[in-house]
Amino acid sequence: MIDNLSFWGEDRHFCIRAAALGFSLYVDTHLPAYHIYRDSDLDGAMEFLDRTDKRGASPSGASRPKLTLSMVIKNESDCCLRKGLEEIRDYIDEAVIIDDGSTDDSAEVCSEVLKGIPVRIIRNDVSKFSNEIELRKQQWSETVKSNPEWILNLDADEMFEKRFKEVARQLISDQEVDVYCFRLYDFWNETHYREDEHWCAHRYYRPFLVRYREGFVCKWNDRPQHCGRFAENVFELPHKLSDIRLKHLGWVNEEDRMAKFKRYQELDPEGTYGSTEQLFKHSG
């Protein structure tokens, strides 16, 4: 007690005692709060929740940007799909997933891991990957139907390092940036990535996180393979390089490497859209 103070109420008592003891107090206003002072205030709680969406929108209409995961999957359930989605779900608001002709339970894994988050899965009865540009255009078209604010385009075998989770909201709150680029590391086992004359993707920055601008006219690279995930004119938008690294785990297992080798041999035998030297040296 402080004898010469007559203020009543536990909140005033707490603040005064904290100040007297030398503690600084701060209020986090990033998310709106509803003060329940007495039992009668409970009546307005549900109305408040109705006016406050799950992304932190306040009654005045302000909100945190919505982050939409856009992903293409095909027979990924035996790989790292589950592990990747478990990390992603902590910072996304919704997901749009193209199931490109899976014959396993990849789509069911997505629904299970992302339970509680709005997920829309579009199933292709016949895979479009042999003409990748058609698949990427479909992915973009379906994603923008959800009226996204930011689009995070990841493959099922890609995973950001842990600190991305801590800064994701900070990145998409920057009004000066529309495109974030990251370096992708091709891991050759669980702990090491490959680097040599044929494997050096991590030396370059590529766009993975893009703000959706309504009215932006996409100009695509119409190559059937290695066409890029976003339109090639995306760099007309304000962009920034991030030092956060992205792990690519699609080459970790020898079985997966052989499957990729055979697939690209069939789709691009002359190496017109990729590197035949890289493929022939796939096993390191």
Side-chain angles (χ1 to χ4, degrees):
M1 290 291 294
I2 302 179
D3 294 335
N4 63 339
L5 289 180
S6 59
F7 297 123
W8 59 274
E10 71 281 356
D11 48 357
R12 292 184 181 90
H13 171 79
F14 179 83
C15 294
I16 291 170
R17 292 301 299 161
L21 293 172
F23 292 104
S24 298
L25 299 179
Y26 301 91
V27 176
D28 182 358
T29 59
H30 190 67
L31 294 176
Y34 182 75
H35 186 195
I36 300 176
Y37 185 68
R38 53 181 62 87
D39 288 346
S40 59
D41 294 327
L42 291 171
D43 295 335
M46 293 309 299
E47 179 186 354
F48 174 81
L49 292 175
D50 288 340
R51 291 185 289 121
T52 306
D53 70 20
K54 80 178 186 68
R55 292 178 289 115
S58 67
S60 64
S63 66
R64 286 164 28 191
K66 181 173 69 169
L67 180 55
T68 301
L69 170 67
S70 181
M71 179 179 283
V72 173
I73 61 172
K74 182 180 180 181
N75 295 335
E76 312 282 356
S77 64
D78 291 336
C79 188
C80 34
L81 176 63
R82 181 178 296 274
K83 181 179 179 180
L85 291 177
E86 286 173 349
E87 291 199 10
I88 291 171
R89 66 163 289 124
D90 289 339
Y91 51 80
I92 64 170
D93 299 296
E94 64 180 3
V96 178
I97 297 173
I98 306 293
D99 182 357
D100 192 43
S102 292
T103 55
D104 65 3
D105 63 343
S106 293
E108 288 71 24
V109 170
C110 293
S111 297
E112 176 190 341
V113 177
L114 298 180
K115 185 177 181 179
I117 298 173
V119 179
R120 186 160 57 89
I121 299 176
I122 299 89
R123 298 177 185 261
N124 293 338
D125 294 332
V126 178
S127 173
K128 297 182 179 181
F129 189 76
S130 60
N131 187 18
E132 186 184 356
I133 183 59
E134 182 182 356
L135 180 60
R136 294 301 182 182
K137 286 181 177 179
Q138 178 194 24
Q139 181 185 11
W140 175 261
S141 175
E142 293 294 343
T143 301
V144 300
K145 287 180 182 178
S146 70
N147 192 29
E149 294 180 66
W150 281 86
I151 300 171
L152 177 63
N153 194 327
L154 292 180
D155 284 348
D157 56 7
E158 294 169 347
M159 192 180 308
F160 279 108
E161 59 179 311
K162 299 290 186 181
R163 63 193 178 102
F164 180 77
K165 185 187 304 184
E166 302 170 4
V167 301
R169 290 296 172 183
Q170 178 183 340
L171 294 180
I172 63 177
S173 295
D174 191 334
Q175 297 300 314
E176 304 298 320
V177 181
D178 284 352
V179 179
Y180 284 100
C181 302
F182 305 86
R183 290 188 294 171
L184 182 73
Y185 290 75
D186 289 314
F187 272 63
W188 223 248
N189 57 44
E190 295 294 336
T191 58
H192 293 76
Y193 63 88
R194 179 170 172 175
E195 180 176 26
D196 54 40
E197 59 181 316
H198 301 293
W199 296 89
C200 52
H202 53 278
R203 298 178 188 173
Y204 307 95
Y205 288 85
R206 295 176 172 85
F208 289 91
L209 180 60
V210 172
R211 187 197 306 270
Y212 175 61
R213 291 291 190 186
E214 189 173 0
F216 178 74
V217 179
C218 293
K219 298 178 182 178
W220 295 91
N221 182 350
D222 287 325
R223 300 184 351 161
Q225 294 295 311
H226 305 296
C227 57
R229 304 181 197 192
F230 291 107
E232 60 181 354
N233 63 327
V234 73
F235 288 111
E236 294 176 5
L237 300 171
H239 51 278
K240 187 175 183 179
L241 308 183
S242 172
D243 65 349
I244 296 176
R245 296 163 295 185
L246 185 60
K247 297 186 291 185
H248 179 211
L249 304 175
W251 301 93
V252 167
N253 300 317
E254 177 67 21
E255 181 180 348
D256 293 335
R257 293 201 287 266
M258 287 302 300
K260 289 177 182 289
F261 172 66
K262 293 177 181 178
R263 184 174 68 203
Y264 284 115
Q265 260 196 329
E266 178 182 344
L267 296 176
D268 186 22
E270 303 299 322
T272 304
Y273 308 108
S275 169
T276 54
E277 291 182 341
Q278 184 188 57
L279 286 178
F280 282 116
K281 298 178 183 296
H282 71 282
S283 58

